[in-house]
Amino acid sequence: RTGIRRSNGQRLLREEAPLNTLMMIKLIATPSNALVDEPVSIRATGLPPSQIVTIKATVKDENDNVFQSQAFYKTNEAGEVDLEKTPALGGDYVGVHPMGLFFSLKPKKAFHRLMKKDVMNSPFCICLDLYDSVNWLETVRIPSKASQRVQRWFVGPGVKREQIQEGRVRGALFLPPGKGPFPGIIDLFGVIGGLVEFRASLLASHGFAVLALAYFAYKDLPEKLQEVDLEYFEEAANFLLSHPKIQQPGIGVISTSKGAEIGLAMACYLKQVIATVCINGATTTTAVPLRYQDLVVTPIQQALERMEVHVSGAVCFRHTTQYLQNKNILPVEKAQGKILFIVGENDELLDSKLHAQRAMDRLRRHGRSSGRMLAYPGAGHLIEPPYSPLCFASWQPVLGRPMCFGGDLMAHAAAQEHSWREIQKFFRKHLLQSGSKL
């Protein structure tokens, strides 16, 4: 009990409320509904001062595979934790990383990759849980003190998706809200095949018109990639430029892995392409032939005897193309537009920096200044939009075993955040007409 004295000297008595009723524990995430490349502010309040707490994040993909992360924090004198100021003391990372719980998400079952398939109808729903102790993921379940759900969307309000089946072209076109015309981009991924839409829809949410283009293992396209027919990609470029909402006179390409090798070939041979982003791709023709009109480029075969196996059991191909000579490089000097090479120096699938450096050297020998390289120490192969979890390795059905992509968690997260800004700046600079704004 505590006493309060009135001015007339009368003492009133009151019962002091228990501590846990005075302090309401809250976990606050702002915004709780946003695009995946938007940062989230996370705070915990109402806790005792100087207490160690655990914050966990859990999400399921569309196949119900579970991905989790956690970090331990110590509350301040006010009993609060603010991820923008409070350093993590342990868990999946240490230090001040406001989005650490998002980019450190990892699969409960090894070799799964967190990748959104249905971008239009549902977000990733990430559940944040607060525990008032150190709580390891594999321990006996205890109830959390507070929870918060965060919805992470790959498509913004007003973005429209058009299924594309035009001539041979197969894919999905994402258009921003408004009349346009918009700068057009073709989006290509690698040996995963099929139709991958999450990056195209996200770029469309930032004002670009993006065609997510499939080129094998989708609908009536070949099940396996037997050759790269550049006329197919030219048809896609012409389709995009013929669309009434696409800005003239040329388009951009954003491409990853095998897709980046194709994207670079498009830059070299197709006049429609005026700005190309190549993310961790070969600068030679590899594995399958490249065909364009009367041209046939024989592929360089990988030196599979140089393949290594990571301790996890995943296969590393990094050293299988290091023997390539300059004469095998695609004719980058023929490119009429600008090229941005984005490379992770810890890429275990390909020595992508070596490939990009050879292309840059060739450009210089021909007196061309159209290329630029952004090299990220510690980053792996799959450099994706900001706050995407690092995928160190994932199952590759063609191999029948997991493939290693590499990457250090913190360095990779930083590379994703920086490169995403640079990619958008690059396309705005080289695709927008004079006087246009985006």
Side-chain angles (χ1 to χ4, degrees):
R1 293 182 175 182
T2 60
I4 301 177
R5 187 178 299 275
R6 285 184 174 178
S7 60
N8 61 6
Q10 182 181 2
R11 181 182 295 273
L12 299 179
L13 295 179
R14 73 178 181 197
E15 293 288 338
E16 188 173 83
L19 183 63
N20 60 359
T21 62
L22 289 175
M23 297 166 51
M24 182 177 292
I25 298 174
K26 292 182 180 179
L27 185 60
I28 305 160
T30 309
S32 60
N33 190 2
L35 290 173
V36 294
D37 60 351
E38 294 183 44
V40 177
S41 174
I42 301 173
R43 294 174 57 238
T45 63
L47 291 154
S50 302
Q51 178 168 351
I52 302 297
V53 300
T54 302
I55 304 178
K56 293 183 183 179
T58 305
V59 66
K60 288 184 179 180
D61 67 11
E62 287 139 313
N63 294 320
D64 282 337
N65 296 305
V66 177
F67 297 76
Q68 291 184 311
S69 63
Q70 67 175 356
F72 312 132
Y73 293 91
K74 185 177 182 180
T75 62
N76 61 16
E77 293 180 356
E80 298 180 352
V81 168
D82 184 345
L83 269 60
E84 293 182 358
K85 302 175 182 177
T86 311
L89 304 177
D92 290 315
Y93 56 91
V94 295
V96 178
H97 298 285
M99 293 296 289
L101 290 168
F102 294 81
F103 64 67
S104 67
L105 285 163
K106 55 191 182 299
K108 290 199 74 173
K109 293 183 178 179
F111 307 128
H112 282 92
R113 176 182 175 186
L114 185 62
M115 188 170 67
K116 196 75 175 72
K117 295 179 180 179
D118 179 5
V119 297
M120 295 300 294
N121 298 308
S122 64
F124 275 141
C125 292
I126 299 177
C127 184
L128 302 174
D129 288 296
L130 172 68
Y131 301 86
D132 60 354
S133 62
V134 173
N135 183 26
W136 295 98
L137 290 174
E138 301 302 326
T139 57
V140 178
R141 289 188 178 183
I142 60 173
S144 62
K145 295 298 181 181
S147 296
Q148 176 72 281
R149 291 177 68 84
V150 177
Q151 294 187 333
R152 306 290 281 167
W153 289 89
F154 286 84
V155 61
V159 172
K160 294 181 180 179
R161 179 188 185 275
E162 296 180 3
Q163 186 73 36
I164 302 303
Q165 187 166 333
E166 187 76 23
R168 292 190 298 164
V169 178
R170 302 290 180 267
L173 176 62
F174 292 89
L175 294 169
K179 294 181 179 180
F182 307 105
I185 298 171
I186 288 177
D187 189 1
L188 296 170
F189 280 82
V191 294
I192 189 173
L195 182 61
V196 183
E197 304 180 24
F198 67 85
R199 186 169 60 193
S201 61
L202 193 56
L203 279 171
S205 304
H206 292 291
F208 302 95
V210 189
L211 173 61
L213 183 63
Y215 56 98
F216 76 101
Y218 180 73
K219 293 189 179 292
D220 57 348
L221 295 174
E223 185 61 30
K224 295 182 179 180
L225 187 63
Q226 303 289 354
E227 67 174 17
V228 173
D229 178 5
L230 210 57
E231 290 186 50
Y232 172 78
F233 299 91
E234 185 174 41
E235 187 177 338
N238 288 333
F239 160 77
L240 195 56
L241 280 170
S242 69
H243 195 285
K245 287 197 172 185
I246 303 303
Q247 182 177 283
Q248 305 296 317
I251 64 163
V253 174
I254 183 169
S255 49
T256 296
S257 196
K258 183 66 177 180
E261 177 188 320
I262 297 170
L264 186 60
M266 293 173 71
C268 294
Y269 295 108
L270 304 184
K271 65 181 184 300
Q272 299 92 332
V273 177
I274 60 175
T276 307
V277 175
C278 298
I279 304 171
N280 287 327
T283 53
T284 62
T285 297
T286 63
V288 298
L290 170 70
R291 298 181 184 272
Y292 182 57
Q293 298 174 354
D294 296 330
L295 173 71
V296 179
V297 181
T298 303
I300 294 295
Q301 299 300 326
Q302 292 173 298
L304 296 181
E305 68 275 8
R306 303 185 184 208
M307 182 179 70
E308 299 175 356
V309 180
H310 187 262
V311 66
S312 66
V315 179
C316 302
F317 287 93
R318 177 182 177 89
H319 302 295
T320 61
T321 58
Q322 282 185 326
Y323 65 97
L324 300 178
Q325 301 301 314
N326 287 333
K327 65 181 180 180
N328 304 122
I329 295 174
L330 287 162
V332 288
E333 70 279 2
K334 294 183 179 180
Q336 298 182 34
K338 301 293 185 177
I339 305 170
L340 176 61
F341 296 102
I342 293 176
V343 298
E345 295 188 15
N346 199 19
D347 184 348
E348 290 294 344
L349 183 62
L350 179 78
D351 192 339
S352 50
K353 185 178 181 181
L354 175 64
H355 277 263
Q357 190 60 63
R358 286 174 172 171
M360 293 290 292
D361 291 344
R362 179 162 178 154
L363 284 170
R364 279 191 287 270
R365 287 198 303 272
H366 285 83
R368 301 292 304 277
S369 58
S370 53
R372 179 187 175 205
M373 180 173 67
L374 292 175
Y376 295 99
H381 185 71
L382 294 176
I383 297 177
E384 301 192 316
Y387 321 125
S388 300
L390 167 67
C391 180
F392 184 84
S394 70
W395 186 260
Q396 175 49 253
V398 175
L399 287 177
R401 59 191 304 178
M403 179 182 288
C404 189
F405 298 118
D408 171 77
L409 179 63
M410 292 304 165
H412 193 86
Q416 292 188 149
E417 196 167 352
H418 182 266
S419 64
W420 189 241
R421 292 194 300 267
E422 292 299 311
I423 288 167
Q424 293 179 69
K425 285 165 57 178
F426 174 79
F427 283 134
R428 289 191 177 101
K429 180 178 180 179
H430 299 298
L431 291 182
L432 284 176
Q433 292 176 343
S434 178
S436 297
K437 294 183 178 180
L438 180 58

